[in-house]
Amino acid sequence: MKVFHIISHFDLGGAERVAASIAKSNTDDMEYHIVETMRGKSQFTNNFINELTDAGVQCHRAWMPDIRFHFLFERIAALLFPLRMLFIWLRWHPDVIHTHTEVPDMCIVASVKLFPFIARSCRIVRTIHNNVLWTGQIFIGNFCERFFISHRCNIAISQSVRASYQQRFGEDTPIIYNGVGKPDSNCYPHLVEGKINVIFAGRFEMQKGISTIVDVLSRMRGNERYHFHIFGDGSLSELIHSRLGEQKNVSINPPLFSLSSYLSSFDYMFMPSEFEGLSIVAIEASMSALPNIINDCPGLGETLPEDWPLKVENNNVDAYLNIFNVILPSMSREVLGAKAMAYAEDNFSLVSMQRNYEKVYSRHYPQHQP
């Protein structure tokens, strides 16, 4: 069975990581390919491709450069992709096309509208990765959603994503939780000795709670107990650097490749996201026994037990300060880490995710053989 995952680009990202994790399944008689729709160009692109190639996954590079300018290049990529999809269909005759996030979604909808025989010859699967879809592209989004609903392609990654999709588009969806394997354990070389080392890692965008991070850390300026390591980049990079760049208990760093392998080095993770689909980084932290201080928002709260003591409602800054100043000094980090790990292992197994998707792929196989 030939399965083609369509992703935005070969780069760091939760959806890209999910596609890679499924494709690295060791199930016999499954041939996995990953196709990018816009050409990744970061320092992590080659590492990501090498990781997939070493696992036996065939990688297909894009022609369109990954340029963000008012959705212009994304839409051009979607208009050009059908010709590429036709070549893939003629060359490999895929049994399954699995699309992830909005740009690949647009590409597949355009391909099937232009070449409808593609959908008749293979199964289309679409994973919904986020609670908020099609920001700034409502008309295109509604058009694409009608397609996916009519073809019964959708799979949600969490209860919150399922509820958000049903509320907005009126369609219920099955759920397959994102799965995470046990991360490697490497020592991060720039820990601050004698301090409690706290990590934040994510895009510097509003969704990730950047304004809350700035407020909380600014009010902890004189606290010598903690050192905060911030990893990422994005449109709010200037805000991070201007407000926190000179703060002695804060280090600001670019994104860290193979971040999951370093998580066990830290004492706590801080995630004040405003919403998530289902946070891979949060689950990787739990798999590494790293306690997570979180905003109890959709897609993040359900990565930890309901009675998790380090949850905050509505990104309340005073509540975060209470956690750092009162709750953490009175609790055992080891006990918290063991509790988080046990919950993650019970609910977010990598093998379970792979097998559940492969059951979906096999639903109409083998009658769609080329």
Side-chain angles (χ1 to χ4, degrees):
M1 184 187 298
K2 299 182 182 70
V3 180
F4 278 70
H5 287 271
I6 316 299
I7 64 172
S8 294
H9 44 222
F10 290 120
D11 204 346
L12 294 178
E16 287 79 7
R17 178 52 56 189
V18 168
S21 295
I22 299 169
K24 289 193 289 186
S25 168
N26 58 6
T27 301
D28 292 337
D29 301 323
M30 300 287 288
E31 178 182 312
Y32 282 101
H33 300 244
I34 295 188
V35 182
E36 65 174 354
T37 55
M38 303 186 74
R39 195 174 184 87
K41 58 181 184 301
S42 81
Q43 58 182 312
F44 308 120
T45 297
N46 288 336
N47 290 21
F48 190 59
I49 293 172
N50 291 338
E51 174 188 332
L52 290 169
T53 303
D54 291 343
V57 180
Q58 298 189 48
C59 299
H60 303 269
R61 300 303 312 270
W63 309 324
M64 176 63 63
D66 186 13
I67 300 174
R68 306 303 169 93
F69 182 74
H70 300 291
F71 306 110
L72 175 62
F73 288 87
E74 290 94 331
R75 292 171 183 175
I76 294 174
L79 291 173
L80 295 177
F81 191 82
L83 293 177
R84 191 175 179 210
M85 190 67 244
L86 178 62
F87 171 78
I88 289 172
W89 185 84
L90 292 171
R91 170 65 178 81
W92 282 281
H93 294 282
D95 299 292
V96 178
I97 297 171
H98 188 161
T99 176
H100 303 262
T101 70
E102 282 95 334
V103 177
D105 292 347
M106 286 192 293
C107 290
I108 293 305
V109 172
S111 298
V112 174
K113 289 295 183 181
L114 190 59
F115 305 117
F117 55 83
I118 290 177
R120 292 195 294 268
S121 66
C122 66
R123 179 171 179 78
I124 298 176
V125 177
R126 185 272 192 113
T127 296
I128 309 170
H129 287 274
N130 218 327
N131 287 282
V132 180
L133 300 175
W134 305 106
T135 301
Q137 303 187 88
I138 295 175
F139 177 79
I140 292 177
N142 289 337
F143 179 81
C144 290
E145 294 307 330
R146 287 194 294 272
F147 171 88
F148 289 121
I149 290 171
S150 67
H151 284 77
R152 303 188 66 81
C153 302
N154 290 324
I155 295 174
I157 63 170
S158 68
Q159 292 287 353
S160 63
V161 167
R162 178 187 188 184
S164 298
Y165 192 85
Q166 187 171 22
Q167 180 180 19
R168 181 172 174 185
F169 297 105
E171 178 75 5
D172 197 9
T173 62
I175 296 173
I176 297 178
Y177 282 108
N178 288 343
V180 174
K182 178 73 173 176
D184 295 332
S185 183
N186 296 323
C187 180
Y188 180 64
H190 304 298
L191 297 174
V192 180
E193 189 175 351
K195 306 291 185 181
I196 298 172
N197 289 269
V198 181
I199 179 175
F200 166 83
R203 291 176 285 114
F204 294 166
E205 307 292 346
M206 291 302 297
Q207 174 189 342
K208 300 299 182 180
I210 297 302
S211 60
T212 301
I213 289 175
V214 168
D215 289 342
V216 172
L217 270 57
S218 294
R219 291 176 62 177
M220 297 188 68
R221 180 178 298 273
N223 192 317
E224 298 182 357
R225 179 185 299 154
Y226 297 96
H227 191 88
F228 297 91
H229 302 261
I230 299 176
F231 295 90
D233 57 23
S235 64
L236 298 180
S237 180
E238 184 177 349
L239 174 64
I240 289 278
H241 284 275
S242 63
R243 293 285 300 277
L244 303 175
E246 301 299 323
Q247 196 162 315
K248 292 183 179 180
N249 63 349
V250 175
S251 299
I252 304 172
N253 310 278
L256 180 64
F257 186 77
S258 195
L259 168 73
S260 62
S261 67
Y262 296 104
L263 292 176
S264 60
S265 295
F266 294 90
D267 297 300
Y268 295 96
M269 175 171 272
F270 183 26
M271 290 193 69
S273 299
E274 296 180 1
F275 61 88
E276 294 280 351
L278 187 74
S279 174
I280 292 292
V281 175
I283 299 171
E284 288 175 335
S286 293
M287 288 288 190
S288 302
L290 176 64
N292 204 345
I293 303 158
I294 67 166
N295 182 34
D296 193 10
C297 68
L300 186 53
E302 63 190 285
T303 65
L304 288 160
E306 288 188 12
D307 61 347
W308 185 247
L310 308 183
K311 289 181 180 180
V312 165
E313 298 289 338
N314 300 316
N315 264 345
N316 186 292
V317 172
D318 290 331
Y320 283 126
L321 294 174
N322 184 64
I323 287 176
F324 284 114
N325 296 324
V326 178
I327 296 179
L328 294 188
S330 66
M331 300 195 76
S332 167
R333 177 194 175 279
E334 288 72 22
V335 170
L336 288 170
K339 182 176 182 177
M341 179 186 287
Y343 186 82
E345 289 176 342
D346 287 344
N347 292 277
F348 306 111
S349 161
L350 175 61
V351 172
S352 177
M353 177 187 71
Q354 292 170 335
R355 297 298 176 263
N356 285 332
Y357 273 113
E358 288 174 347
K359 288 178 183 177
V360 173
Y361 299 158
S362 301
R363 194 167 295 163
H364 298 298
Y365 187 83
Q367 60 262 43
H368 284 162
Q369 290 291 307

